[in-house]
Amino acid sequence: MADRHVDHLLIGGGIASATCAQALREGGAAGSILLVGRELDPPYHRPPITKGYLGGGESRDDAAIAVGDDVEVLTRTSVMALDPAARTATLSTKDTVSYDTALLATGAMVRRLPVDGGQLEGIHYLRALGNADALRRDVDGAERVLCVGGSYIGCEVAATLTTLGKRCTVVLQEEEPLERGFGLQVGAWVRSVLESHGVEVVSGVEVERFEADDERVARVVLAGGRTLPADVVVCGVGAMPDVMLARKAGLEIGPAGGVRADAQLRALGADGLFVAGDMCEYDSAVHGRVVRIEHEEVAAAHGRTAARNMLGAGADHVEVPYFWSDLADWATLEYVGPAEGWDEEVVEGDLAAGAFAVWYRREGHVVAMLSAGGHGDLDRARALIASGEALI
Ligand SMILES: Cc1cc2nc3c(=O)[nH]c(=O)nc-3n(C[C@H](O)[C@H](O)[C@H](O)COP(=O)(O)OP(=O)(O)OC[C@H]3O[C@@H](n4cnc5c(N)ncnc54)[C@H](O)[C@@H]3O)c2cc1C
């Protein structure tokens, strides 16, 4: 017997759940909505953690996401167990909640770098606002910051902390920053943007270990023996879907490590349960394959589709995934896709000047488009990706 019943239970306190709550109300849901999140804060945007919030230009309030007064939000509360067949969830408060429909949106956790010295003081990972607070306190007295990882977290942190007067180095396995998502020519341009603002980029290398002076990180040793000094280290080496609860509940986990959902974002084999955000691995009607994507706008879009379907729409998720990244005020990138692979890059505009679009095509079909400096038509790209048309 459950302690209480809600019409809609939203598990996870991130943007996917928050957007779902908003969309449920906008879609006419009159019943009770309970959002359960284990963080200290109610839902907030994570992108400012590496950008405005870290740089000091944005506050906690700026990052907050309003869910509406008529949505009950429990913070510092975990869902410990989920029984999809009985449609009940057990909270860390020991209460059992039954539901008519539920959203599972437990997000992702940082991947830790498994090297010697990885636990030293002065080594940071960024996922929550509190991590940015800790990094800000630590960099105050620091001169040299070393960012491990050439993806958007490492590049954005290096850009933001450079604007705060720190000497930043980005160390990456790949040849160029952001190369994995956008290819070598865009990667070379990103490197030039970083370097022209004083960021050192050390590429094609592996971190072997961290070394300390007085228990605090002091240097990074790379494979091959090169040593780089560091007062503070920030690791941005990927995230893993948080599927602990889902796994315990017996839900199917996909090859990309997320919870499997169909094209309508329904958890496979669990009536009334929907999946959204970073941990959602769904049959994409747009891509014709199973995808899992870790972008804020995608999580929000999932939340909207899930809400519609919780209200009975029976609609496929058809929004083309969108991603953006800011390197301080030096460059803004926007991207629709994602391309699983491509055999042709067509550049429009002036790559060297930072006002360009790159169209990624596979076998003649547009599979993604990257826009820098506001160049290029993202809506056209969305339409071409969704339709599978060949022309640009
Ligand atoms: C530092 C940083 C910068 C980023 N910058 C960008 C950017 O510039 N552009 C972009 O597109 N994307 C960016 N992203 C990615 C984007 O923030 C994520 O894709 C988005 O937050 C995913 O939302 P979500 O709701 O799926 O999951 P999350 O935001 O991870 O939220 C899930 C929440 O659920 C909680 N939870 C987990 N398990 C339980 C449980 N059992 N019970 C209760 N609560 C639970 C978690 O603690 C977490 O608070 C960034 C991410 C990070 C970390």
Side-chain angles (χ1 to χ4, degrees), residues 24-36:
L24 279 167
R25 287 292 183 236
E26 282 160 20
S32 50
I33 304 175
L34 173 64
L35 185 156
V36 184

Side-chain angles (χ1 to χ4, degrees), residues 31 54 59 64 118 137 177 181 188 206 220 238 246-247 251 261-262 280 312 382 390:
L54 180 63
S59 67
R137 283 194 296 274
E206 297 267 346
V220 178
R247 206 182 278 282
L251 296 172
D262 68 10
C280 171
R382 282 187 181 93

Side-chain angles (χ1 to χ4, degrees), residues 9-21 102-108 127 241-243 246 251 258-262 264-267 273-282 291-307 310 317:
L9 174 67
L10 313 180
I11 303 171
I15 189 160
S17 285
T19 310
C20 183
L103 181 77
L104 190 57
T106 48
R127 184 82 201 167
D242 186 341
V243 294
L251 296 172
V259 174
R260 284 286 287 114
D262 68 10
Q264 294 179 18
L265 306 185
R266 296 178 296 199
L273 181 64
F274 295 80
V275 189
D278 283 4
M279 45 79 80
C280 171
E281 194 166 322
Y282 67 105
V291 298
R292 190 181 71 76
I293 299 162
E294 292 172 4
H295 298 334
E296 147 137 306
E297 291 289 339
V298 176
H302 284 172
R304 286 190 290 272
T305 298
M310 287 163 102
H317 181 69

